[in-house]
């Protein structure tokens, strides 16, 4: 009997020692994440982001560069879609926050607190902050990863909660999945590469340098280049036209009152006028590349992720391009979230430029 008790005690002690030397508790992991966030100086990351919010999934290759020092935080987010000619960048440097569209040679500049004002699914420090700030987060250990489920702080309120998967040894990001309130998957991000404490030069975040480099990229094939040249020649022969795009979402209190179509030297122009308590105006024109880099100062505002584009948003306007059309939405009565919702509803369905 004594021997049995002795064996039982030794067994329990052994189990206790193994537990003490094994998996970390949630509190220990969260403390490690806090230390990681406090000491983060920069990184380079590559990921694949899929948006499930439209009629069909859209996948983007995302390159993220981040560097910070005592003076400022620097970012370059490069988003590319194989099916879209229009790739875009978000850059933050000493001069402000920029939304670049290299194919159109256009740059929108903001005085903005981006990315601190909302969560950003492809930014490592944003994911860490979401974990640390949610006292009701859930935590699990799965094989060689830590899995957190947290609330979200995205501008798009349909993005209700998220699952963040981190490597258990390095704490580097593995994947993110964002769901709506009914657990329908809306956005997924899979990280393929992550280099912490990467070395940078401040010129890496220069807008002119990045715009020039993007425009010098070699096209995928000679056939693609030929098609681009044919499109340019056709555009030069006759003014561009397109199908009018109407939003499928109208804020309660808004109603379409007038659609005005005109033809200018540059091409077709459409003005949609919505009246009511939530009145707004949308102007649609054929997109046109600027002959030289065009810098548009937007004042206060920042980038906003739409279905197929990064929009440039202020308190009372939102500008974006999609499938050959440049859109400008203006309103004194819509919130930023409502403007973005209208814009997203206009990029869910493909429209063909004629």
């Amino acid at each position: 009997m004594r021997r049995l008790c002795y064996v039982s005690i030794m067994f329990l002690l052994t189990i206790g020692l193994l537990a003490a030397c094994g998996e970390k508790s949630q509190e220990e992991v969260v403390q490690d994440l806090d230390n990681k966030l406090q000491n983060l100086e920069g990184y380079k990351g590559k990921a694949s982001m899929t948006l499930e919010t439209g009629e069909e999934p859209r996948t983007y290759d995302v390159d993220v560069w981040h560097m910070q020092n005592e003076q400022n935080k620097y970012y370059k987010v490069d988003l590319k879609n194989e099916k879209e000619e229009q790739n875009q960048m978000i850059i933050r440097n000493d001069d402000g926050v920029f939304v670049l569209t290299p194919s159109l040679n256009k740059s929108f500049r903001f005085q903005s607190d981006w990315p601190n004002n909302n969560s950003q699914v492809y930014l490592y420090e944003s994911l860490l902050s979401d974990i640390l700030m949610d006292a009701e987060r859930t935590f699990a250990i799965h094989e060689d990863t830590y899995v957190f489920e947290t609330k979200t702080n995205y501008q798009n309120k349909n993005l209700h909660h998220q699952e963040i998967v981190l490597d258990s040894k390095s704490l580097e990001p593995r994947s993110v999945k964002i769901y709506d309130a009914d657990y329908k998957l809306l956005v997924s991000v899979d990280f393929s590469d992550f280099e912490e404490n990467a070395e940078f030069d401040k010129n890496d975040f220069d807008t002119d340098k990045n715009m020039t480099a993007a425009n010098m990229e070699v096209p995928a094939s000679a056939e693609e280049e030929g098609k681009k040249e044919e499109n340019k020649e056709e555009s030069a022969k006759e003014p561009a036209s397109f199908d009018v795009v109407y939003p499928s979402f109208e804020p309660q209190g808004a109603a379409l009152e007038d659609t005005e179509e005109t033809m200018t030297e540059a091409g077709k122009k459409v003005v949609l006028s919505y009246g009511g308590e939530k009145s707004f105006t949308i102007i649609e024109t054929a997109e046109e590349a600027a002959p030289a880099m065009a810098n548009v100062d937007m004042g206060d505002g920042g980038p906003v992720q739409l279905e197929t584009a990064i929009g440039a948003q202020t308190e009372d306007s939102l500008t974006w391009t999609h499938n050959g059309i440049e859109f400008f939405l203006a309103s004194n009565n819509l919130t930023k979230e409502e403007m973005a919702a209208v814009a997203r509803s206009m990029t869910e369905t493909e429209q063909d430029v004629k």
Side-chain angles (χ1 to χ4, degrees):
M1 185 67 178
R2 289 181 179 178
R3 178 175 175 80
L4 181 60
C5 290
Y6 173 79
V7 171
S8 299
I9 291 171
M10 290 304 296
F11 176 77
L12 292 173
L13 288 173
T14 301
I15 293 298
L17 287 172
L18 288 174
C21 298
E23 296 174 344
K24 290 185 176 182
S25 66
Q26 178 180 172
E27 291 74 18
E28 291 173 318
V29 174
V30 169
Q31 183 59 55
D32 289 343
L33 296 180
D34 188 35
N35 293 336
K36 177 75 73 173
L37 183 60
Q38 296 302 322
N39 296 308
L40 190 65
E41 294 183 356
Y43 59 85
K44 290 182 180 180
K46 290 182 179 292
S48 175
M49 178 175 69
T50 301
L51 305 181
E52 306 277 358
T53 47
E55 291 188 345
E56 60 182 35
R58 289 181 176 271
T59 300
Y60 293 83
D61 292 329
V62 185
D63 280 4
V64 180
W65 290 10
H66 170 52
M67 178 183 77
Q68 66 183 54
N69 53 36
E70 295 180 356
Q71 287 74 40
N72 202 352
K73 294 182 178 180
Y74 304 87
Y75 290 91
K76 184 177 82 167
V77 179
D78 192 356
L79 293 100
K80 297 180 180 178
N81 184 319
E82 292 181 357
K83 296 181 181 180
E84 301 281 345
E85 291 184 3
Q86 178 185 296
N87 299 321
Q88 291 183 282
M89 293 183 196
I90 304 173
I91 290 179
R92 173 173 173 164
N93 56 32
D94 290 331
D95 297 321
V97 175
F98 299 81
V99 174
L100 274 59
T101 306
S103 63
L104 301 180
N105 220 14
K106 292 182 179 179
S107 170
F108 294 93
R109 174 177 176 268
F110 301 91
Q111 294 302 320
S112 172
D113 194 34
W114 184 93
N116 300 325
N117 43 10
N118 289 108
S119 297
Q120 310 296 330
V121 66
Y122 35 68
L123 297 185
Y124 180 44
E125 64 280 18
S126 181
L127 300 176
L128 295 182
S129 295
D130 284 350
I131 294 171
L132 295 171
M133 294 299 292
D134 187 359
E136 298 178 358
R137 60 183 172 262
T138 65
F139 170 75
I141 300 175
H142 180 66
E143 296 180 349
D144 60 346
T145 64
Y146 296 137
V147 182
F148 288 91
E149 185 171 325
T150 77
K151 299 174 184 176
T152 64
N153 185 36
Y154 298 104
Q155 186 184 47
N156 183 355
K157 300 307 178 185
N158 289 329
L159 305 179
H160 188 266
H161 58 276
Q162 60 191 349
E163 177 192 85
I164 301 171
V165 180
L166 306 175
D167 186 278
S168 59
K169 291 184 178 179
S170 64
L171 301 181
E172 294 176 356
R174 289 277 193 89
S175 66
V176 185
K177 289 182 171 60
I178 310 178
Y179 303 87
D180 65 11
D182 297 321
Y183 278 84
K184 178 184 177 182
L185 180 63
L186 300 181
V187 181
S188 61
V189 177
D190 293 298
F191 289 86
S192 59
D193 189 37
F194 192 85
E195 180 187 356
E196 195 173 343
N197 297 322
E199 294 185 2
F200 295 102
D201 186 289
K202 284 182 66 174
N203 289 331
D204 290 335
F205 304 93
D206 181 81
T207 52
D208 291 340
K209 176 182 175 181
N210 280 284
M211 183 75 85
T212 301
N215 283 326
M216 290 178 65
E217 288 186 359
V218 180
S221 66
E223 181 181 356
E224 180 182 339
E225 179 65 12
K227 289 181 179 179
K228 287 183 179 180
E229 291 300 323
E230 290 177 7
N231 290 337
K232 289 181 181 178
E233 292 177 3
E234 291 178 2
S235 297
K237 292 178 183 178
E238 60 183 33
S241 185
F242 52 85
D243 290 338
V244 181
V245 183
Y246 294 89
S248 59
F249 168 74
E250 296 177 6
Q252 187 174 0
L256 179 63
E257 293 183 342
D258 185 49
T259 300
E260 180 183 350
E261 297 186 28
T262 58
M263 186 63 71
T264 68
E265 292 183 1
K268 186 175 181 179
K269 177 180 179 180
V270 178
V271 180
L272 307 179
S273 300
Y274 287 77
E277 295 180 0
K278 291 286 187 176
S279 62
F280 60 94
T281 300
I282 298 173
I283 300 174
E284 303 176 12
T285 56
E287 70 176 24
E288 184 178 7
M293 182 172 172
N295 297 297
V296 182
D297 196 335
M298 303 290 285
D300 294 334
V304 58
Q305 182 68 53
L306 305 176
E307 297 303 330
T308 59
I310 302 171
Q313 187 171 41
T314 67
E315 288 292 336
D316 54 12
S317 71
L318 177 56
T319 302
W320 74 98
T321 56
H322 170 59
N323 207 25
I325 307 174
E326 183 167 343
F327 298 88
F328 177 76
L329 187 160
S331 175
N332 291 320
N333 299 315
L334 297 185
T335 65
K336 285 186 175 182
E337 184 180 342
E338 288 170 333
M339 284 192 284
V342 171
R344 290 189 182 98
S345 75
M346 298 179 72
T347 59
E348 290 176 346
T349 304
E350 290 292 332
Q351 300 291 332
D352 295 325
V353 176
K354 293 182 178 180

